[in-house]
Amino acid sequence: MTGSTKYIFVTGGVTSSLGKGIISASLAKLLQARGFTVTIQKLDPYINVDPGTLNPYEHGECYVTEDGAETDLDLGHYERFLDVPTSQANNVTTGRIYQNVIRKEREGEYLGKTVQVIPHITDEIKRHIQALGRKGIYDFVITEVGGTVGDIESLPYIEAIRQLRWEKGRDCLVVHLTLLPFLHTTGELKTKPTQHSVKELLSLGVQPDVLVCRTEHPMLKGMKEKIALFCNVDARAVIESRDAETIYDVPLLMQEEQLDEVVLRKLGITTFPDADLTHWKDFLRRYKNPVAETHIALVGKYVELKDAYKSIKEALEHAGATNECKVDIHWVHSEKLTLKNVAKHLAGMDGVLVAPGFGHRGIEGKIEAIRFAREQRIPFLGICLGMQCAVIEFGRHVLGLQEANSTEMAQDTPDPVIAMMEEQKQVTEKGGTMRLGAYPCRLQEGTLAAQVYSRKQVSERHRHRYEFNNAYLERYGKAGMVASGINPNGKLVEIVEIPGHPWFVGVQFHPEYRSTVAKPHPLFVHFVKATMAHTLPTPQRTKERAEKA
Ligand code: GLN
């Protein structure tokens, strides 16, 4: 596209959790399918500098970018939908904005001036918003504003949008996402909360151009016109967004509602190519018409909060679609697993995936799950802490190092098979100080890992402080657990596997962050395939299920 970058803002009203991230990613997908270059950024109104220090209970998964930024999980959706890497610049929090402004104040940048929310904080917000546009590679920068309009925290962001609209005129557009609640007593969808939330935006000086209305039920005839009339928008710019069967349906639902076309025209773009969504539709066809089924236990300590393992769940779904197989994820609480009950909890499973994590809680249950998968020859994938637990389990039960542990869990273990990385020992601050982002990993010839990737070297994203202790490497290798992926620079073990097992792989990195609809991750694809091969004969499965119930 010739001309300047267009800025699209996505705000939310009425309530949180309406799915701004999915709407932003869907709009971006539709624009990308028409041949435009798009990126999405998220502005988060909290004071943490990034979500890296946040507990998953507070914030769900922390998503890590190639350049090592610890970010909001919505960035995962952006990458999964667009298959374009995001970076530090794609997620900004109020904490980071203030940190920058305060640093500049100390450096004397505002010498003589009183530093204020307007213009200094809003200028810093605008600088971040436009930083992506200035790269000159994007036709569109979509900016999702976290929180709900009316929150005290998001006021400076809305003010920055107001100013940018004034400065950029037609190059700026605001999409406001709202809710049409359904009143069961009267059987009606109500538009009043939408009207109120638009009023709230208007009171801050921002007139939305497009309204996307989340609804459980179809909107009745005349409803769009009514909303349009009360909210000063075109009836065509009132978009119905019905609850979808899967998030991957949303781009197609938005296409039916012509969201992208409305946006393009409002931005003054009147000629544009048709959207090519062939690959996306092919993915959905496979996803929705599985010819097989597999049952995978996802063992973690946050299973009551599925958002904590968002990227893993999505990566399994991508891999399922590739294999035309329905992946049934059984969420297993690691704290509940013991040597005695593990067989019952994992009965009927075709695969076991042990999740990443921090701290001691639930670790012994993870180790039991791994022991069961190893001994029963069930396909196993361990990610980060899951890999470290696999090393501990092997140490304890195969090498006979009864107190083998990670120094994260037991500082004075006699057998620190997992130990703190050398460069981490000096670190005292918690924020952004782990081994983060993409590092190369060389694959050992002839191993399962090399076969899975069919490459000699790969690059994967990390988020950890502890590592396999190389002092034990030889002993492990001799006993049957080999390091099949090594970081070529630091010699850190990145992948372990057990050649004698049908499919047993532990990875120090997070493959889930790199799985997208366009490119499902090979480790997940092969893991799911292995679980399909493992599938128990139906009578045995039925029996095990019945016993479990
Ligand atoms: N707690 C472990 C470490 O810091 C594993 C981290 C993870 O699973 N992301 O090394």
Side-chain angles (χ1 to χ4, degrees), residues 43-116:
L43 305 180
D44 272 313
Y46 49 76
I47 302 189
N48 302 66
V49 171
D50 61 43
T53 53
L54 284 173
N55 187 317
Y57 287 119
E58 300 273 329
H59 202 259
E61 169 186 279
C62 173
Y63 185 80
V64 179
T65 59
E66 290 283 301
D67 65 348
E70 296 177 283
T71 70
D72 186 78
L73 58 77
D74 272 331
L75 272 79
H77 292 310
Y78 307 162
E79 288 204 16
R80 287 188 280 275
F81 275 51
L82 296 183
D83 194 37
V84 175
T86 54
S87 71
Q88 181 76 70
N90 295 71
N91 191 196
V92 181
T93 69
T94 295
R96 190 176 295 281
I97 299 281
Y98 273 82
Q99 193 184 45
N100 288 348
V101 170
I102 292 169
R103 183 182 39 77
K104 286 181 189 169
E105 186 275 334
R106 292 289 83 184
E107 286 167 5
E109 194 162 312
Y110 314 110
L111 223 49
K113 289 264 182 289
T114 308
V115 181
Q116 294 178 300

Side-chain angles (χ1 to χ4, degrees), residues 61 77 80 245-248 283 287 296 298 305-321 327-331 353 355-356 383 512-513 515 524 528:
E61 169 186 279
H77 292 310
R80 287 188 280 275
E245 189 187 322
T246 149
I247 53 170
Y248 300 111
F283 166 82
Y287 180 75
I296 295 178
L298 197 160
L305 182 87
K306 314 264 180 315
D307 269 1
Y309 305 115
K310 192 91 196 159
S311 295
I312 295 179
K313 176 184 166 285
E314 299 306 323
L316 284 171
E317 309 250 315
H318 303 159
V327 178
D328 197 342
I329 303 176
H330 298 247
W331 304 84
L353 191 157
I383 301 179
E512 69 274 22
Y513 296 144
S515 188
F524 283 91
V528 166

